[in-house]
Amino acid sequence: MSFTPHGKHLIAGEWVAGEATFDSAPAHGDKHSFSIGTPEHVDRAVTAAEEAFWSYGYSTREDRAKFLNAIADEIEARADAITAIGTSETGLPEGRLQGERGRTTGQLRLFAEHILKGDYLDRRYDPAQPDRKPAPRPDLRMIERPIGPVAVFGASNFPLAFSTAGGDTAAALAAGCPVVVKGHSAHPGTGEIVAEAIAAAIKSCGVHPGVFSLIQGGKRDVGTALVTHPAIKAVGFTGSLGGGRALFDLCAQRPEPIPFFGELGSVNPMFMMPEAVKARGAELGKGWAGSLTMGAGQFCTNPGIAVVIDGPEADAFVAATDEALKGVGAQTMLTDGIATAYRDGADRVAGTTGVQAVLTTTCDLRNATPYLFETTGKTWLADEELGEEVFGPLGLVVRVSDVDEMVTVAKSLVGQLTCTVHLDAPDETAAAKLMPVLERKAGRLLANGFPTGVEVCDAMVHGGPYPASTNFGHTSVGTLSIRRFLRPVCYQNMPEALLPSDLR
């Protein structure tokens, strides 16, 4: 299937043009023109989503599962065309796009299977006790119900799995909530073809067309209009700390505040325990280099920090990392803006007093090459900026004097998506000192692995204390993510005919 973008918004089943346009900026291949969204487009889309909720929000789990599977089928039917436009726009290799497409369809199918089981509804029943003294108890039943239309912001670094039909959209649709997506301008053609797949599934399943809309481009006014529209009941976002915090504040300032589920960033520190570094420091350094540079380091779980006890073993670990990074060539970044921000971040770290360069490289235009720096625990603790994310293949080694200083470094961390401990059996006693701290700092804790790679399954948590995410009680990956778009409702002495079908 060949594909040439037409550049229109999808609003409630209709492809709608706008007066103003913007051009895509592909890494290679032809650029295309796309309509720029407006607040008027937002209002039309959200109004349609609210209308769709009166049917879709009360549809059966079987019908929603069928719809999710149909979206996955339609995406796979466009597989080659999606890969072609995706690689052109983002510069990501074909294998990465193919894997991400499989992840996208896989989570749609997983969510379909999950809602059919019904466990996510958390149904509870306390039967009436009319003879209870001193007062009778009424019949009480509880179930999770969908909240209403959800706004989703596409992510720059995942054109499929965290964008148009990605995790937030799939979770909201699984819950019974219509979705309005603000597409990311880094890959508008990819967003458009995936929206075509969703539109085809809507038609084949007979779903209200307002259940999904895609609005392309637009400046802050579009994002503001979307999160402040009174019919929007929650927002899903993956992106920068600055942009996410601005939207989070808008959600909180509304006359009716709504939850903002933002995944904003993380340095994903690794704590290298002494016996593990002594036994296999070279192996760990090589593994870190591979994880650090995967996808040009453009993963929210990129492990940017390694905390290691100073000494000869640390020297060997750093040398192995340096050697492995030297073999990594320039990689294309997702956008010119991301590449510029990466270079600025590298300059900021390099210019920090107390930081020494291990590996410096030169990159320009849209390319990224790896950097490696090192500093002391004392310097780290004195400079909060060293804990700020640099989005790209940049690593910082923090040398500490002992396990106690390692724990102090851990306590200084802000919220993280992941924290990793590399250890061997003799390290377990020392590592136990870290665990209570790391549990408070991150949503996912790893042992002897690298965090780049987030499994889509029941037990996964992709979130953490702020600024890793804006709501530490939830995850944006895995079946638990559906709960974000539900709220509990209790029914007291309700006739069975008036109960939701899943509660009868």
Side-chain angles (χ1 to χ4, degrees):
M1 176 186 292
S2 61
F3 174 72
T4 301
H6 51 65
K8 298 178 181 179
H9 314 288
L10 176 63
I11 300 179
E14 298 182 11
W15 292 101
V16 179
E19 294 182 3
T21 61
F22 71 97
D23 288 338
S24 62
H28 56 81
D30 297 332
K31 66 181 181 180
H32 300 280
S33 181
F34 294 85
S35 295
I36 295 177
T38 65
E40 290 73 24
H41 289 131
V42 169
D43 182 64
R44 180 174 169 183
V46 178
T47 299
E50 173 65 17
E51 180 60 31
F53 183 69
W54 295 111
S55 56
Y56 189 74
Y58 300 88
S59 60
T60 66
R61 290 180 282 121
E62 290 75 16
D63 284 345
R64 293 201 302 279
K66 178 182 177 183
F67 179 44
L68 293 172
N69 281 318
I71 295 173
D73 290 342
E74 294 290 350
I75 289 174
E76 291 295 354
R78 295 161 174 77
D80 292 342
I82 289 173
T83 298
I85 188 69
T87 54
S88 171
E89 289 185 323
T90 66
L92 295 172
E94 287 188 5
R96 159 70 190 274
L97 265 295
Q98 291 165 352
E100 193 180 330
R101 188 187 70 250
R103 175 193 174 102
T104 304
T105 57
Q107 65 191 359
L108 285 162
R109 299 191 194 281
L110 174 65
F111 289 178
E113 179 184 356
H114 183 73
I115 63 174
L116 286 176
K117 296 175 183 177
D119 295 344
Y120 77 104
L121 295 170
D122 196 16
R123 289 171 284 201
R124 306 183 184 201
Y125 177 43
D126 291 300
Q129 294 180 355
D131 299 326
R132 190 183 68 173
K133 303 298 183 183
R137 184 178 74 186
D139 181 279
L140 297 168
R141 304 175 190 233
M142 191 275 281
I143 192 172
E144 299 279 351
R145 300 296 290 154
I147 59 175
V150 171
V152 171
F153 286 74
S156 63
N157 59 332
F158 280 89
L160 298 175
F162 278 91
S163 290
T164 310
D168 289 342
T169 296
L173 292 176
C177 299
V179 174
V180 178
V181 171
K182 167 67 170 64
H184 200 288
S185 57
H187 40 74
T190 310
E192 181 183 306
I193 191 172
V194 174
E196 285 190 353
I198 299 174
I202 287 173
K203 290 182 179 179
S204 67
C205 294
V207 177
H208 190 296
V211 77
F212 175 85
S213 293
L214 169 68
I215 298 172
Q216 300 274 31
K219 298 182 179 179
R220 286 188 177 182
D221 59 339
V222 174
T224 298
L226 186 54
V227 301
T228 59
H229 196 290
I232 290 294
K233 299 304 178 186
V235 178
F237 175 88
T238 299
S240 69
L241 175 59
R245 182 58 199 242
L247 294 175
F248 173 73
D249 290 344
L250 284 174
C251 288
Q253 293 164 6
R254 289 173 33 137
E256 178 203 0
I258 58 173
F260 179 82
F261 299 105
E263 190 267 280
L264 306 183
S266 180
V267 295
N268 305 292
M270 304 186 304
F271 295 85
M272 323 300 292
M273 305 310 293
E275 294 301 321
V277 175
K278 181 178 180 180
R280 47 194 175 91
E283 176 188 341
L284 290 172
K286 183 178 179 181
W288 183 30
S291 181
L292 190 66
T293 58
M294 183 185 298
Q298 298 170 115
F299 290 91
C300 46
T301 54
N302 191 36
I305 308 294
V307 185
V308 60
I309 295 175
D310 197 13
E313 289 82 8
D315 295 340
F317 165 71
V318 173
T321 305
D322 178 29
E323 185 64 26
L325 290 175
K326 286 178 179 176
V328 178
Q331 296 174 277
T332 302
M333 300 201 86
L334 292 158
T335 68
D336 292 329
I338 289 174
T340 299
Y342 173 62
R343 289 191 290 272
D344 291 345
D347 290 342
R348 170 177 60 80
V349 175
T352 302
T353 301
V355 173
Q356 291 78 42
V358 177
L359 173 66
T360 59
T361 54
T362 301
C363 53
D364 57 9
L365 302 175
R366 199 160 158 174
N367 296 318
T369 48
Y371 289 82
L372 183 63
F373 299 94
E374 64 179 13
T375 190
T376 64
K378 183 179 179 180
T379 300
W380 169 276
L381 293 169
D383 193 336
E384 293 182 356
E385 287 193 359
L386 290 176
E388 295 179 3
E389 180 183 26
V390 178
F391 194 63
L394 182 148
L396 175 63
V397 178
V398 180
R399 292 178 180 252
V400 296
S401 58
D402 52 27
V403 172
D404 288 339
E405 189 177 13
M406 188 177 282
V407 172
T408 302
V409 168
K411 288 181 177 178
S412 75
L413 293 168
V414 297
Q416 303 291 326
L417 293 170
T418 73
C419 287
T420 299
V421 180
H422 288 280
L423 76 164
D424 284 350
D427 292 313
E428 290 180 0
T429 299
K433 296 181 180 181
L434 278 170
M435 292 304 293
V437 181
L438 301 187
E439 286 179 358
R440 296 186 65 184
K441 297 295 182 178
R444 177 163 59 113
L445 305 182
L446 297 82
N448 296 328
F450 296 95
T452 39
V454 184
E455 190 70 26
V456 182
C457 59
D458 290 328
M460 177 52 63
V461 173
H462 190 62
Y466 185 84
S469 63
T470 56
N471 194 310
F472 59 78
H474 293 273
T475 173
S476 63
V477 177
T479 55
L480 187 62
S481 67
I482 298 171
R483 297 284 186 96
R484 295 176 296 170
F485 307 118
L486 299 165
R487 65 181 182 88
V489 178
C490 176
Y491 300 83
Q492 182 171 322
N493 288 337
M494 191 64 62
E496 185 165 315
L498 300 183
L499 289 171
S501 59
D502 284 322
L503 201 52
R504 294 173 191 169

